[in-house]
């Protein structure tokens, strides 16, 4: 049988793969511990399908500097774990193929991301993944759709229509987060009795999407965003003096009246670190307020190293997609910690799943063809369970749904304070925060 490149032998191999990966035991990855249970014995697999080259090239684009650099570095480490795991697995299955990853750095620049995608495509690479933000994904989307290059982004969560047309060759292995982020943060403000917010936003695709969603959700819940005109700063701003001037001016009348005001730093981790540091240098009254941030702030890295005391003072609250515990997740976390001394964030973990979904979809397609792989990806995503859980896609080619964790910086550490269910919109509190 051969339908759209799917052969019976390859489908049999795929079912073995998905079952082993999905239940998260062993998945044919060698373990150093001698006491580890052996992987289940699988039927003798067929040889590699003749439609696949012996070396299957996959492009990997991650930022290693710029606003997304710290997350991108973790994503590179994760991708290397995925490359080894996938090749160990196909070898254990007896397939005469090797997945070869080609790594590129886009320095958090959407224009450079496009150049890197074009460079990879020129080498004959038809599939690319990486911890691409919404801006970077938007930068490559038109080219990808026009040239039949599959993109699987693991850090793009702005509304789909602001990034790429629904469907097509662009997939996002994380869910859209602008509304879950906003709903989680508004729940925190309501719990604390805060009715006014000074919001400052980075001039990048994702942050602008968060700005619009947050203002909508806040208004629906009786929370006012100040001032009437938006405060927006350019990406990679180094001097926040004029921005802090505007923020203090907006907050002052309400602080003087005794109203509860919060600061929403709607940017990236380097922005927040600099803003807090520069606010402290000028003894800003903003440091007496509650601060919140979206899912661009990873719990426990650059911010806590460079401005942990200040983040504690403002009791920074931020959100992050959840990643359920599993043997696969623990394996990836352990390997990355060994390699770079840090745990991977959710976006890096999602790139591990992107790599596996691509590899399995290529095997299912039976040939290195973008249209055949594109057809297989939703089928694989529906069955696959990886480092971030199940990766089923919706009709936009985005992950269907993800819940969120809510963190607060308490005593210099990020502590989990609540869980937000994106389906029921319920906030389940773990730690009740007193007024600041």
């Amino acid at each position: 049988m051969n339908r759209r490149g799917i052969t019976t032998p390859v489908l049999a191999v795929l079912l073995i793969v998905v079952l082993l990966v999905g239940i998260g035991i062993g998945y044919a990855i060698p373990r150093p511990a001698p006491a580890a249970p052996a992987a289940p014995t699988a039927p003798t697999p067929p040889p590699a399908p003749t439609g696949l080259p012996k070396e299957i090239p996959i492009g990997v684009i991650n930022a290693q500097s710029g606003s997304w650099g710290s997350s991108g570095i973790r994503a590179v480490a994760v991708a290397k774990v995925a490359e080894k795991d996938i090749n160990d697995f196909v070898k254990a299955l007896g397939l005469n193929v090797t997945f070869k990853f080609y790594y590129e750095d886009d320095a958090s620049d959407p224009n450079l991301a496009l150049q890197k995608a074009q460079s990879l495509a020129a080498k004959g690479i038809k599939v690319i993944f990486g911890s691409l933000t919404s801006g970077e994904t938007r930068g490559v989307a038109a080219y990808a759709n026009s040239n039949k290059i599959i993109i699987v982004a693991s850090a793009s969560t702005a509304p789909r229509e602001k990034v790429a047309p629904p469907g097509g060759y662009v997939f996002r292995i994380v869910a859209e987060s602008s509304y879950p982020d906003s709903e989680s943060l508004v729940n925190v403000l309501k719990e604390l009795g805060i009715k006014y917010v000074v919001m400052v936003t980075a001039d990048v695709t994702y942050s602008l999407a968060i700005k619009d969603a947050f203002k909508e959700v806040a208004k629906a819940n009786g929370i006012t965003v100040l001032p009437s005109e938006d405060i927006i700063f350019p990406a990679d701003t180094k001097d926040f003096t004029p921005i802090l001037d505007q923020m203090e001016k907006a907050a002052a009348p309400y602080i003087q009246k005794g109203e509860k005001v919060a600061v929403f730093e709607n940017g990236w981790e380097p922005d927040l670190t600099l803003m807090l540091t520069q606010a402290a240098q000028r003894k800003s009254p903003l440091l007496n307020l509650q601060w919140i941030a979206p899912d661009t702030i990873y719990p426990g890295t650059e911010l806590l190293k460079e401005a942990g005391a200040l983040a504690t003072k403002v009791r920074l609250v931020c959100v992050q997609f959840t990643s359920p515990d599993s043997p696969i997740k623990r394996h990836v976390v352990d390997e990355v910690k060994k390699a770079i001394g840090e745990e991977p964030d959710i976006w890096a973990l999602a790139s591990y799943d992107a790599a596996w979904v691509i590899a399995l979809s290529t095997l299912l397609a039976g040939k290195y063809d973008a249209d055949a792989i594109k057809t297989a990806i939703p089928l694989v995503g529906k069955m696959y369970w990886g480092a971030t859980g199940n990766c089923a896609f919706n009709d936009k080619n985005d992950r269907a749904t993800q819940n969120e964790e809510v963190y607060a910086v308490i005593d210099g550490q990020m502590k989990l304070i609540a869980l937000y269910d994106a389906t029921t919109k319920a906030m389940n509190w773990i730690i009740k925060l007193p007024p600041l």
Side-chain angles (χ1 to χ4, degrees):
M1 179 179 70
N2 189 335
R3 297 178 181 172
R4 297 187 181 180
I6 302 173
T7 63
T8 299
V10 176
L11 184 57
V13 172
L14 176 68
L15 290 174
I16 295 168
V17 171
V18 172
L19 284 172
L20 292 176
V21 173
I23 60 179
I25 53 172
Y27 55 101
I29 306 254
R31 295 279 186 171
T41 301
T44 302
T50 56
L52 284 173
K54 287 189 176 181
E55 182 176 285
I56 302 170
I58 305 295
V60 186
I61 301 177
N62 287 305
Q64 296 182 55
S65 59
S67 59
W68 199 236
S70 59
S71 182
I73 290 169
R74 292 187 286 268
V76 171
V78 167
K80 290 179 178 178
V81 174
E83 183 177 15
K84 181 181 184 303
D85 288 355
I86 290 167
N87 282 316
D88 284 349
F89 192 61
V90 295
K91 182 179 179 180
L93 289 175
L95 297 179
N96 188 26
V97 296
T98 299
F99 286 88
K100 171 68 175 176
F101 288 11
Y102 291 81
Y103 295 85
E104 295 287 354
D105 174 14
D106 68 11
S108 306
D109 182 343
N111 294 322
L112 188 55
L114 173 59
Q115 293 174 29
K116 297 298 185 180
Q118 292 169 331
S119 174
L120 290 167
K123 296 175 182 176
I125 293 173
K126 303 178 186 297
V127 186
I128 297 169
F129 77 95
S131 184
L132 297 165
T133 66
S134 293
E136 292 157 331
T137 305
R138 183 180 180 182
V140 303
Y143 175 79
N145 283 324
S146 297
N147 293 275
K148 294 188 176 183
I149 305 297
I150 293 174
I151 301 292
V152 184
S154 70
S156 172
T157 59
R160 178 73 184 212
E161 292 73 15
K162 293 182 180 293
V163 175
Y169 292 82
V170 177
F171 292 81
R172 303 195 299 178
I173 205 156
V174 287
E176 187 176 302
S177 74
S178 54
Y179 280 93
D181 275 16
S182 300
E183 290 157 359
S184 299
L185 292 171
V186 164
N187 267 287
V188 171
L189 298 179
K190 288 172 66 178
E191 182 73 14
L192 296 173
I194 296 173
K195 295 184 178 180
Y196 298 94
V197 180
V198 175
M199 178 165 60
V200 55
T201 300
D203 191 9
V204 296
T205 301
Y206 177 68
S207 300
L208 294 171
I210 284 282
K211 174 180 70 70
D212 293 341
F214 183 82
K215 289 172 73 172
E216 179 184 329
V217 174
K219 183 178 180 181
N221 285 273
I223 295 172
T224 302
V225 176
L226 306 170
S228 56
E229 50 194 353
D230 298 319
I231 304 175
I232 298 176
F233 62 88
D236 298 322
T237 292
K238 302 303 180 190
D239 181 8
F240 283 96
T241 300
I243 300 299
L244 289 165
D245 287 342
Q246 293 180 66
M247 295 166 68
E248 290 170 1
K249 183 179 178 181
Y254 297 88
I255 294 174
Q256 290 168 5
K257 289 189 292 185
E259 298 285 1
K260 292 182 178 180
V261 183
V263 173
F264 184 5
E265 198 289 317
N266 180 25
W268 303 77
E269 191 170 14
D271 303 327
L272 176 58
T273 302
L274 271 176
M275 193 177 294
L276 284 170
T277 302
Q278 293 174 15
Q281 290 168 354
R282 62 194 274 158
K283 296 182 173 56
S284 174
L286 298 173
L287 295 179
N288 297 321
L289 307 180
Q290 172 71 56
W291 285 45
I292 60 175
D295 58 8
T296 53
I297 311 302
Y298 174 64
T301 54
E302 178 182 340
L303 173 70
L304 296 187
K305 291 176 184 176
E306 299 186 19
L310 294 172
T312 296
K313 179 174 174 56
V314 301
R315 197 177 55 196
L316 177 75
V317 170
C318 61
V319 292
Q320 190 97 148
F321 277 139
T322 59
S323 177
D325 189 30
S326 69
I328 298 176
K329 177 183 175 181
R330 292 195 295 272
H331 160 71
V332 178
V333 169
D334 289 346
E335 292 301 313
V336 172
K337 286 176 70 175
K338 287 179 196 174
I340 64 173
E342 293 182 5
E343 291 192 11
D345 54 40
I346 186 69
W347 320 113
L349 281 172
S351 69
Y352 181 87
D353 292 342
W356 269 98
V357 167
I358 287 168
L360 298 178
S361 297
T362 303
L363 294 175
L364 177 57
K367 55 184 176 179
Y368 192 61
D369 175 83
D371 285 317
I373 296 170
K374 173 176 171 285
T375 298
I377 285 176
L379 305 177
V380 171
K382 189 180 296 184
M383 292 188 288
Y384 173 82
W385 184 281
T388 63
N390 178 249
C391 297
F393 293 93
N394 60 23
D395 58 5
K396 294 181 180 181
N397 285 356
D398 291 347
R399 190 183 186 124
T401 187
Q402 280 179 280
N403 295 333
E404 293 207 334
E405 298 170 328
V406 185
Y407 290 86
V409 179
I410 300 172
D411 297 330
Q413 296 181 334
M414 286 281 192
K415 295 189 177 180
L416 183 64
I417 63 169
L419 298 172
Y420 178 74
D421 190 312
T423 302
T424 65
K425 301 188 185 302
M427 191 81 152
N428 300 306
W429 290 93
I430 298 169
I431 298 174
K432 288 284 188 177
L433 292 176
L436 191 66

